[in-house]
Amino acid sequence: MNFSQLRSFYAVGRELSFTKAADLLCIGQPTVTTQVKALEETYEVQLFLRTPRGLKLTDAGEALLTVARQIFSLEEQAVGILRAEGNQISGRLRVGSVGPFFVMELLSQFHARYPLVQVFLDSGNSDLIYNKLLNYEVDLAIIGRDYDDPRLDLIQLGRHEVIVFVHREHPWAGRQQIDLAELDGQRMIFRESGSVTRQALAEILAQHRVRPNVLMEVPRDAVREAVAAGLGAGIVSKTEFQPDERLRPLRIADHKPFTESFAACLKGRQELRPIKAFMKLVSELVTPAPVQESVADL
């Protein structure tokens, strides 16, 4: 196989754009186009479809992209080993996280210990980050669920209370807490499907037959702005709630929902040096004592 052609395919597959792929590889777009075309012709397969919405991978292209991710991920690790100075670890580490609040303290300590490692951070809900880990799009994941997947090496980080927050002019704004039943019929803004925070509250609501009026389902940051606009009450992990003069946090007094957080990597990649170093650091920071309220407490 011609690895220059595979590299061009990988770049186009990641970006779904020949122009962006050429910029990423620092070569001309005609060269990228020629190499991808040559790869298709050599193996008599179509890797991309051109649709009105842009470039799309075929089934063969999707399958090849998965393998290419593994190949070039290992190449990055090999380069890191060769560039290491003495016992120092270097290279790139791609971390996916359910939110910056869960991971920043870990990354700060990791950087202090391994300053030659360049860290790239991606974020999203747990399902999204879990799938990126399986697809080699991130090397490590901070996720909010134990997926009971034998391919993963997991270390539990903490357990986190889910709270409600409302606009400062909401009738509940002067209170410290509410009962779960008070959410029945209450206008609420929910996180998107795949959010562990949403799932934790939804399970408690279902158990106690409480049915809020869910106005909309939006990503994490949009929940805050929707609540600030007075559209309804929102939910968030207590660890992630940031003081905001527009908002007031409320704990659920009687039936508290909780989420958990885990550091995860693929078992097949746990011996790669930056990944192994990160998981070792996490193991050292997590105590076997009572479950922590937040990663920041570790």
Side-chain angles (χ1 to χ4, degrees):
M1 174 175 284
N2 186 311
F3 275 85
S4 294
Q5 294 172 2
L6 183 63
R7 194 181 303 279
S8 288
F9 160 77
Y10 179 53
V12 176
R14 287 173 56 191
E15 303 295 331
L16 290 179
S17 165
F18 282 90
T19 302
K20 291 180 180 179
D23 291 341
L24 185 68
L25 297 172
C26 299
I27 59 178
Q29 182 179 330
T31 301
V32 174
T33 302
T34 299
Q35 289 180 340
V36 171
K37 184 178 180 181
L39 187 63
E40 291 179 318
E41 291 177 348
T42 298
Y43 295 96
E44 298 180 351
V45 63
Q46 186 175 9
L47 300 171
F48 295 100
L49 295 173
R50 288 174 173 79
T51 73
R53 295 186 177 182
L55 211 58
K56 181 181 178 182
L57 285 158
T58 64
D59 290 345
E62 290 279 7
L64 182 60
L65 184 64
T66 299
V67 175
R69 283 195 186 106
Q70 299 176 43
I71 291 171
F72 292 113
S73 173
L74 291 172
E75 181 190 46
E76 288 177 6
Q77 300 298 332
V79 170
I81 292 171
L82 293 172
R83 288 179 175 172
E85 299 179 12
N87 292 323
Q88 284 280 10
I89 296 174
S90 65
R92 300 173 63 191
L93 185 68
R94 299 165 299 174
V95 179
S97 175
V98 291
F101 308 105
F102 289 103
V103 74
M104 285 306 175
E105 178 64 24
L106 292 174
L107 293 183
S108 175
Q109 297 197 42
F110 183 79
H111 176 71
R113 189 176 297 188
Y114 306 106
L116 298 181
V117 178
Q118 188 178 15
V119 176
F120 297 84
L121 181 63
D122 196 358
S123 63
N125 65 48
S126 279
D127 284 355
L128 177 65
I129 297 302
Y130 166 67
N131 283 305
K132 286 192 172 188
L133 182 64
L134 296 184
N135 290 329
Y136 293 79
E137 295 178 64
V138 297
D139 305 310
L140 286 152
I142 307 299
I143 50 180
R145 182 185 306 168
D146 180 352
Y147 285 87
D148 193 25
D149 188 330
R151 294 170 292 181
L152 301 186
D153 180 30
L154 285 172
I155 300 174
Q156 185 172 357
L157 297 173
R159 190 164 181 256
H160 320 284
E161 183 180 349
V162 175
I163 64 171
V164 173
F165 64 102
V166 297
H167 188 270
R168 64 186 177 190
E169 295 180 2
H170 191 281
W172 295 345
R175 299 170 58 179
Q176 299 296 314
Q177 60 185 29
I178 59 170
D179 290 331
L180 184 71
E182 293 181 82
L183 294 177
D184 196 62
Q186 177 67 212
R187 293 188 308 171
M188 294 197 70
I189 313 300
F190 268 23
R191 287 282 307 278
E192 76 284 5
S193 177
S195 161
V196 174
T197 303
R198 166 185 168 153
Q199 180 181 342
L201 179 64
E203 289 175 355
I204 293 290
L205 292 173
Q207 288 172 17
H208 298 277
R209 300 182 180 180
V210 176
R211 297 179 177 84
N213 176 18
V214 180
L215 292 186
M216 60 180 70
E217 300 176 4
V218 296
R220 182 195 319 272
D221 292 340
V223 174
R224 172 179 290 266
E225 295 309 311
V227 175
L231 292 175
I235 57 170
V236 67
S237 166
K238 184 181 176 184
T239 309
E240 295 182 287
F241 183 80
Q242 296 296 297
D244 187 320
E245 63 179 13
R246 303 171 298 172
L247 308 173
R248 300 292 183 266
L250 297 159
R251 302 182 76 173
I252 299 174
D254 48 355
H255 305 291
K256 300 181 189 297
F258 288 89
T259 64
E260 296 177 310
S261 57
F262 299 85
C265 72
L266 292 172
K267 287 181 178 177
R269 306 185 71 218
Q270 62 187 350
E271 292 303 316
L272 296 173
R273 294 182 74 194
I275 295 175
K276 186 175 182 179
F278 188 93
M279 295 298 279
K280 181 175 183 293
L281 173 65
V282 170
S283 296
E284 292 172 359
L285 294 174
V286 175
T287 64
V291 178
Q292 302 292 325
E293 279 296 313
S294 72
V295 173
D297 296 332
L298 299 177

